[in-house]
Structure formats: structure tokens, C-alpha cells
Amino acid sequence: MGGTNDFGKGAEVEEVYANYIEIVKSLQAYSIVPIIQSTITILSDDPYYIDISNKIRRLNDALKLYAYANGIIFVDVNEQLSTKNVLSSQYTYDGMHLLGSGYAKWRDLILPIIRSQLGESKGA
């Protein structure tokens, strides 16, 4: 996961996407199985919400397509943490960073996926 801080500093989607894919390929080069996760949306109170939110949405769409095209698991954490592309206020203290409850929700979402991947690699 990544991109929100980059977007806050003015980075474009294509730049963040290229960096992300480079990281994924680097992991694969070392036989590490990546799991791509969506970048978490932000709270609509942020003054840059529209611009950053649009970039996050575009990045997530591109990452999802890349994951599916390359047989990589894609996890949309926003399904649990956000409503209508807006980070739920119950999971954040500043509109962007998660509270413990947000991390717990995220953990509950990805832990079964990680466990299943570990089980598959043990059986191989």
C-alpha cells in the first residue's frame, strides 16, 4: 500500500503506480509473493479531498487491473474502512491515518489471506 503521502506532495498517479510496480517486481525477483492492497481513501474534511481522492481511486483501479492481469491477490481494504470512497471517521484521528480500530479491521481483512498463502507455500 502506498500513495497518499505522495499525492499530498503533488505526485501524479502514473509516478506512484510505476514506483509501486517496481516494488512488486523487486519482491517477486526475490521469490516473495506480493499481496497488493488498495490505498486507503481519506476523510472528505481534508481540504485536498477531491484531488487526492480522485488520484487514490485511479491508482486503486490501475493496481487492481495489474494484480488480476498478473495473478496477484488484490485486497480492497476500503470495502471495510470506507463508505462511498470516504474513510469512515470511526477509523481515523486526522482524516488520513488510522486509529487502532482501523488497524484491527485491516488486520481482520488481510490475516486470513496471509494465512492461506502461508498454507499454500507449505504444501508446495
Side-chain angles (χ1 to χ4, degrees), residues 37-48:
Q37 300 175 79
S38 61
T39 295
I40 297 174
T41 58
I42 61 174
L43 197 61
S44 61
D45 294 344
D46 188 292
Y48 302 103

Side-chain angles (χ1 to χ4, degrees), residues 80-81 91 98-112:
Q80 295 292 318
L81 299 174
Y91 299 125
L98 296 179
L99 292 166
S101 59
Y103 283 112
K105 199 77 150 157
W106 183 3
R107 176 206 59 218
D108 292 346
L109 181 63
I110 65 169
L111 192 56

